């Protein structure tokens, strides 16, 4: 079978790999149909991932069809349309015992730490495989994973329907968070520095957008919130200056700040800003059992994957897809490899 393999940083090829063995007890063999390309795949390709080892098959936004199931597998059979939760954890460390395996001290993600889904077949254990409606396209189903990131961020931020939120960054992550917040009923403003990204935010239902390279974000926050500041803010730009501004100026008294982006620099943040307003600063990583929520969103039409999927390529053109993404960063939102 064929696999999209990064042999070493900067070198990607369609490699020939042996077919996986027949699925063992509790395992499922999946014929992969669509895999979304994410920023972390690009980091693996470019050698910018702190965690990847090589050679590595990329891909953690996976949909496919059950080919066969191992002994004892319940609730799934050949032909079912499925998605795969890519988070793997140890099951015994403090975070795992607490029920938060997404921050396991030894957490692994498909396509980064171990081989991912961008290959014609993969094996997954029963607990990682979720059935989705046959009426969903494989492309739409592959976005369940990014929506699970949004569901995790909303859960961490304790988002509710009457929240007034600011989403910083209108990349794929900012846009899925925006769609999740709108599905809840929240009022949402989105900040970015690229107009084409802000246009996507408008089409995803943003109540207001602000280009913070040409407009004063602090002034905008005062106007939008009636000078109270935002009770809920998501940092999804990966810009250290944005995080500093959010904590020092944009969050309301008793506000919640959910941190998704992780730039390499250290932030200059005043403890007084955190203490004075009793801010909750909450990390959000991958997803913790959020696949059922994300599937419900996509199946019910609470969110619209077609608003984030901008391009699709046959997997054989993976190199072309990656070059296209690198050369057209403002135009591409979510690109998908089709198998
Ligand atoms: N926590 C997690 O589980 C998780 C999962 C996936 C991605 N991430 C991280 O979340 C961040 C967003 O991911 P993405 O795939 O949407 O990335 P992306 O790079 O596609 O999008 C980031 C957006 O932020 C905008 N931006 C950059 N600097 C800005 C600034 N100073 N002010 C306003 N806007 C600015 C960019 O124009 C872009 O539209 C990244 O840092 C990524 O590494 C975290
Ligand atoms: Zn992803
Ligand atoms: Zn663990």
């Amino acid at each position: 079978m064929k696999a999209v393999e990064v042999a070493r940083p900067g070198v990607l090829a369609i490699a020939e790999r042996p077919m996986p063995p027949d699925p063992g007890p509790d395992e499922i063999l999946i014929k992969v149909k669509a895999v979304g390309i994410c920023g972390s795949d690009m980091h693996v390709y470019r050698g910018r991932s702190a965690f990847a080892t090589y050679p590595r098959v990329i891909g953690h936004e996976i949909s496919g069809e059950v080919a066969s199931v191992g002994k004892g597998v319940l609730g799934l059979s050949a032909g079912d349309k499925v998605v795969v939760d890519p988070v793997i954890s140890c099951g015994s460390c403090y975070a795992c015992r607490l029920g938060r395996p997404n921050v396991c001290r030894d957490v692994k993600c498909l396509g980064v730490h171990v081989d991912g889904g961008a290959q014609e077949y993969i094996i997954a254990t029963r607990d990682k495989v979720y059935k989705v409606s046959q009426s969903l396209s494989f492309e739409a189903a592959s976005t369940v994973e990014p929506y699970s990131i949004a569901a995790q961020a909303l859960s961490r931020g304790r988002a509710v329907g009457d929240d007034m939120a600011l989403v910083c960054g209108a990349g794929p992550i900012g846009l899925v968070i925006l769609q999740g917040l709108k599905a809840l009923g929240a009022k949402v403003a989105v900040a970015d520095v690229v107009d084409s990204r802000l246009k996507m935010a408008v089409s995803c239902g943003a109540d207001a957008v602000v280009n913070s390279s040409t407009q004063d974000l602090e002034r905008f926050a005062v106007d939008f919130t009636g000078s109270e500041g935002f009770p809920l803010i998501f940092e999804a730009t990966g810009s250290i200056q944005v995080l500093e501004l959010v904590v020092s100026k944009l969050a309301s008294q008793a506000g919640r700040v959910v941190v998704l982006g992780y730039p390499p620099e250290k932030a200059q943040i005043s403890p007084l800003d955190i203490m004075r307003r009793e801010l909750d600063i909450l990390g959000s990583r991958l997803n913790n059992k959020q696949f059922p929520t994300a599937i419900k969103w996509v199946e019910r039409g609470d969110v619209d994957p077609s608003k984030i999927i901008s391009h699709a390529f046959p997997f054989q053109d993976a190199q072309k897809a990656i070059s296209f993404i690198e050369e057209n960063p403002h135009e591409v939102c979510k690109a998908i490899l089709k198998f």
Side-chain angles (χ1 to χ4, degrees):
M1 67 163 182
K2 305 268 187 263
V4 180
E5 183 187 274
V6 177
R8 57 180 189 279
V11 180
L12 181 144
I14 307 302
E16 190 63 36
R17 292 244 176 154
M19 266 297 285
D22 286 341
D26 201 39
E27 285 182 342
I28 293 131
L29 178 68
I30 298 165
K31 187 170 169 48
V32 173
K33 292 290 192 174
V35 176
I37 302 179
C38 173
S40 54
D41 296 308
M42 304 300 287
H43 291 326
V44 172
Y45 171 62
R46 278 294 166 206
R48 290 188 302 249
S49 163
F51 308 111
T53 53
Y54 301 88
R56 177 64 59 238
V57 175
I58 56 172
H60 59 274
E61 304 178 0
I62 308 159
S63 71
E65 190 179 276
V66 173
S68 61
V69 302
K71 227 173 108 185
V73 168
L74 298 175
L76 284 176
S77 51
D80 283 345
K81 203 171 261 196
V82 291
V83 294
V84 182
D85 185 341
V87 184
I88 301 166
S89 42
C90 80
S92 61
C93 73
Y94 171 70
C96 284
R97 296 199 306 279
L98 202 61
R100 293 171 61 178
N102 58 316
V103 286
C104 169
R105 69 175 174 191
D106 195 25
V107 74
K108 293 186 172 66
C109 187
L110 294 185
V112 181
H113 306 76
V114 294
D115 280 339
Q119 45 188 330
E120 289 180 294
Y121 289 88
I122 53 162
I123 293 256
T125 53
R126 177 67 187 92
D127 58 327
K128 301 295 175 206
V129 181
Y130 293 83
K131 191 165 157 173
V132 298
S133 162
Q134 285 290 352
S135 65
L136 279 189
S137 68
F138 287 111
E139 288 86 344
S142 74
T143 66
V144 164
E145 195 279 340
Y147 283 112
S148 78
I149 303 286
Q152 180 70 14
L154 265 59
S155 157
R156 293 288 292 151
R158 305 188 300 277
V160 289
D162 60 0
D163 259 321
M164 188 188 277
L166 174 66
V167 176
C168 301
I173 294 297
L175 294 177
V176 288
I177 292 172
L178 163 64
Q179 288 192 11
L181 286 166
K182 289 313 295 176
L184 265 186
K187 194 172 169 197
V188 191
V190 178
D192 203 291
V193 288
V194 175
D195 283 331
S196 57
R197 290 292 176 103
L198 291 170
K199 233 168 114 182
M200 292 179 204
V202 170
S203 92
C204 289
D207 295 283
V209 295
V210 52
N211 186 325
S212 50
S213 70
T214 54
Q215 274 178 274
D216 180 4
L217 192 48
E218 209 182 320
R219 181 74 243 161
F220 170 84
V222 168
D223 293 343
F224 190 83
T225 66
S227 82
E228 283 209 303
F230 285 95
L232 179 58
I233 304 182
F234 296 88
E235 197 326 89
T237 67
S239 156
I240 204 72
Q241 289 83 11
V242 172
L243 179 65
E244 289 168 349
L245 182 68
V246 159
V247 173
S248 63
K249 306 279 187 203
L250 305 183
S252 70
Q253 295 295 122
R256 292 150 284 154
V257 176
V258 182
V259 179
L260 292 108
Y262 48 99
E265 304 93 348
K266 289 192 164 54
Q268 294 221 333
I269 287 175
S270 159
L272 182 61
D273 283 330
I274 301 172
M275 183 279 291
R276 183 169 59 83
R277 286 178 284 158
E278 273 200 349
L279 295 186
D280 285 350
I281 299 183
L282 304 138
S284 185
R285 185 174 189 189
L286 301 167
N287 89 92
N288 182 12
K289 302 176 207 79
Q290 296 291 350
F291 264 58
T293 300
I295 290 168
K296 193 177 67 189
W297 284 356
V298 176
E299 285 185 346
R300 290 207 304 217
D302 295 345
V303 296
D304 184 353
S306 74
K307 299 269 200 263
I308 59 164
I309 297 172
S310 57
H311 296 80
F313 298 82
F315 80 90
Q316 293 89 341
D317 290 345
Q319 178 62 66
K320 203 169 120 191
I322 291 219
S323 303
F324 187 83
I325 294 169
E326 288 190 325
E327 284 155 23
N328 302 277
H330 297 165
E331 192 187 316
V332 180
C333 187
K334 176 63 66 191
I336 289 179
L337 297 177
K338 294 167 73 158
F339 285 75

